[in-house]
Amino acid sequence: MNYNRDVEKFEIEGYLLHSLEDKEDVFAVRDIFKGELKKILGKEIELEDYHNHVKDDDQHQKIHYKLYKYLLTNQNHIAFFTKNQKFFESIMGLDVDIQIEPKFRISRPGKPQDNIGYHYDLDYGNSPYEVSCMINLTDVDEGGAVRFLSRSHAQPKLKTHPVESVGVEKGSIKHQLGVPYLLQRVVDESYKSEMFPIPFNVGEVLCFDLGILHGLEVSNSETTRFSIDCRLKSPLANSGVRQGYYKSLFRSPLAKAAARFYEANPDALEEDRSVG
Ligand SMILES: [Fe+2]
């Protein structure tokens, strides 16, 4: 299958696959995680083989949480974007905010509990002005890849309904690791046979519009997927996410000039400060 790699077609396809110009920091994070796993497990393993070494779900959750906290504390994901600024600007424009706490996923083969199923992020407070950037730390084949409903961002949104997420409390570790406590499922499941996977390798990024239906129910791969999902947003666009979800990443010359105006005029109306 030919996946879209043309930024001009992002509008039509709702996603874009791209080989990062600067991959160094992605490989560096992969090596850091391998080092952390060596400390925990007492032996060196490949991330792809993780499921063969960690079989107990409680142990897995502790490891997942530890690596996630490492990522949040060190903000390793920021460099993926700053080192590839021109590419991300080609989709987003010159004013870009970045998610402070990206999601970090570990999807083991045959473990539905590692995935949240098919969904629209719009049902969780996001807007179609937001982009999710998925960066894999392992090579991912069709069986383990996130799936998409082709061009669904440009179609009437399918009706969804809330379904309780069994065993996930608000604020729990699972919730912090990206599993909603209330899932929003598409009512009519006939779309499922049309979901198509987008596999890709370490050093590539998959950017997709949050209006597109996507997700994974269970990995049929033979390898574990480690991936980081980080959202970008135009600071001019509204989003239903909480305060402090995003921070400034790139600013245009105009936005920088406007910031100086507000610095010099602290009494100017707060609501005018759309690009802080
Ligand atoms: Fe999502």
Side-chain angles (χ1 to χ4, degrees):
M1 183 163 174
N2 283 331
Y3 300 105
N4 178 41
R5 292 178 179 272
D6 181 354
V7 71
E8 297 299 328
K9 291 184 181 151
F10 180 83
E11 170 196 350
I12 302 295
E13 302 299 337
Y15 78 88
L16 176 66
L17 190 55
H18 181 74
S19 180
L20 291 169
E21 281 67 29
D22 189 325
K23 304 171 171 56
E24 202 182 335
D25 288 272
V26 179
F27 283 100
V29 171
R30 187 169 79 156
D31 288 344
I32 288 169
F33 281 2
K34 275 174 79 169
E36 290 297 305
L37 282 175
K38 189 179 175 183
K39 279 190 227 162
I40 297 166
L41 301 173
K43 58 183 172 181
E44 194 159 326
I45 66 162
E46 294 301 323
L47 300 185
E48 289 82 354
D49 286 336
Y50 172 84
H51 58 285
N52 289 323
H53 300 276
V54 180
K55 296 188 174 171
D56 177 72
D57 261 10
D58 286 342
Q59 185 192 18
H60 164 64
Q61 187 170 285
K62 280 187 192 127
I63 291 172
H64 190 180
Y65 192 65
K66 195 165 184 188
L67 296 180
Y68 172 62
K69 284 292 182 190
Y70 183 98
L71 181 68
L72 296 194
T73 303
N74 294 286
Q75 293 284 288
N76 309 77
H77 63 297
I78 304 290
F80 303 161
F81 298 89
T82 53
K83 299 270 187 77
N84 294 280
Q85 183 171 354
K86 285 274 171 288
F87 166 69
F88 292 103
E89 284 178 347
S90 75
I91 305 179
M92 304 292 300
L94 300 180
D95 293 304
V96 184
D97 284 348
I98 187 166
Q99 190 178 7
I100 296 170
E101 299 185 352
K103 295 298 172 207
F104 167 54
R105 320 270 184 199
I106 301 178
S107 178
R108 296 166 295 168
K111 301 276 187 188
Q113 65 269 40
D114 289 359
N115 312 290
I116 57 172
Y118 302 132
H119 61 279
Y120 291 100
D121 286 304
L122 304 185
D123 285 332
Y124 299 94
N126 295 98
S127 91
Y129 270 107
E130 290 162 76
V131 164
S132 185
C133 301
M134 190 171 174
I135 290 170
N136 288 342
L137 302 179
T138 50
D139 290 349
V140 175
D141 60 20
E142 285 195 0
V146 172
R147 292 168 176 262
F148 294 82
L149 185 63
S150 180
R151 302 181 178 183
S152 49
H153 68 295
Q155 302 289 329
K157 188 171 166 290
L158 299 173
K159 194 175 175 338
T160 55
H161 67 140
V163 175
E164 199 189 325
S165 187
V166 181
V168 183
E169 306 291 324
K170 191 175 182 182
S172 65
I173 287 184
K174 269 199 169 142
H175 185 216
Q176 290 182 59
L177 288 171
V179 184
Y181 56 94
L182 204 60
L183 297 162
Q184 298 287 340
R185 294 278 184 236
V186 174
V187 178
D188 179 351
E189 296 192 341
S190 57
Y191 72 94
K192 284 192 178 180
S193 58
E194 294 172 46
M195 297 296 289
F196 74 98
I198 304 183
F200 62 99
N201 295 332
V202 186
E204 293 186 294
V205 59
L206 175 65
C207 300
F208 59 92
D209 185 284
L210 290 191
I212 201 165
L213 181 61
H214 66 279
L216 181 64
E217 293 191 312
V218 61
S219 168
N220 296 319
S221 177
E222 290 186 355
T223 59
T224 297
R225 163 165 55 88
F226 281 63
S227 58
I228 295 168
D229 281 348
C230 182
R231 285 156 186 183
L232 302 179
K233 181 180 93 65
S234 162
L236 294 167
N238 287 323
S239 168
V241 298
R242 62 178 165 76
Q243 201 74 27
Y245 186 95
Y246 285 107
K247 68 179 178 184
S248 168
L249 180 66
F250 306 136
R251 287 295 180 264
S252 62
L254 175 59
K256 287 178 186 166
R260 285 180 186 269
F261 171 83
Y262 287 114
E263 220 176 279
N265 295 274
D267 295 334
L269 286 177
E270 193 64 36
E271 57 262 35
D272 286 348
R273 301 179 192 216
S274 46
V275 185

